[in-house]
Amino acid sequence: CGGAVFGAGIIVKFKPYILARFATWGHAWEAASTTGYQQTRTMSAAASGGLFGRGAGQGWLKDIFAAETDMVFAVVCEELGLIIAVLAMFAVIALALFAVRNAAQGRSTFYVIAGCAAVSLLMVQMGLNVFGSLDILPFTGVTFPFVSKGGTSLVSCWMLLAFVKATDTRRDARFVVSRDKAPRRRQ
């Protein structure tokens, strides 16, 4: 705990904008033209898209700094609508459910824990982006898995997905799980 407090103090000292984001959390509208600028624009754009959105490329949030990375959930809400944004969230959730279901069949406890931890990283990353964009959590600037623009974010998400696939220790394993319960034999 002491190390975490010391690390947080160092971060706040050298990166004071992080403290400003936490101070803005929960009441971004009170500082809409200063520290809450990005947050209020993000919430306005997410609300203006409605259920079906304005159309791909027709939103105004894409012109704000870091819209393609940190605020991509709001951009998707604005341009493609709330339905597509929720479906993008459900895609990551479905991946997590598959990984947990697949982990139950693992031969090693290490692979079970490692696969669930990798998917948990993706879920936390998605939750921070979605809830940060909507001012439910502090705006942290974390990217949305597989949707945000950026090479390192995309590469790290694909590496986590590859690791989840590598934890699948079944013979002839594949992402498609057959409906029949009897194992198939090779001819």
Side-chain angles (χ1 to χ4, degrees):
C1 289
V5 169
F6 177 73
I10 294 292
I11 289 172
V12 168
K13 179 176 177 162
F14 291 111
K15 299 190 178 214
Y17 64 90
I18 293 175
L19 188 59
R21 286 184 177 177
F22 275 93
T24 306
W25 173 40
H27 44 78
W29 292 103
E30 296 171 8
S33 60
T34 56
T35 57
Y37 179 79
Q38 284 186 319
Q39 192 72 30
T40 55
R41 300 311 179 266
T42 302
M43 291 186 287
S44 297
S48 69
L51 287 177
F52 303 107
R54 296 175 166 214
Q58 301 300 317
W60 53 267
L61 186 64
K62 66 182 182 294
D63 299 327
I64 303 290
F65 177 73
E68 304 90 15
T69 56
D70 299 350
M71 299 178 274
V72 76
F73 182 75
V75 172
V76 171
C77 284
E78 180 188 23
E79 294 184 0
L80 303 177
L82 183 64
I83 294 173
I84 299 297
V86 169
L87 287 176
M89 287 174 34
F90 281 143
V92 176
I93 292 169
L95 174 69
L97 292 175
F98 172 78
V100 169
R101 178 176 171 229
N102 187 33
Q105 300 171 356
R107 287 184 241 151
S108 170
T109 306
F110 171 76
Y111 289 120
V112 171
I113 294 170
C116 289
V119 169
S120 296
L121 287 171
L122 290 174
M123 293 292 293
V124 167
Q125 185 175 349
M126 180 191 67
L128 286 173
N129 185 281
V130 170
F131 295 138
S133 294
L134 301 176
D135 202 31
I136 297 171
L137 288 176
F139 189 61
T140 57
V142 176
T143 58
F144 194 100
F146 305 110
V147 179
S148 294
K149 179 182 176 184
T152 56
S153 173
L154 195 58
V155 167
S156 65
C157 289
W158 279 111
M159 288 172 63
L160 284 173
L161 186 62
F163 186 76
V164 167
K165 179 62 182 143
T167 62
D168 190 357
T169 57
R170 297 175 291 141
R171 184 173 170 208
D172 298 327
R174 58 188 177 273
F175 274 118
V176 179
V177 179
S178 62
R179 291 182 178 247
D180 57 342
K181 299 294 181 185
R184 294 183 182 183
R185 295 184 186 182
R186 290 188 114 180
Q187 296 177 351

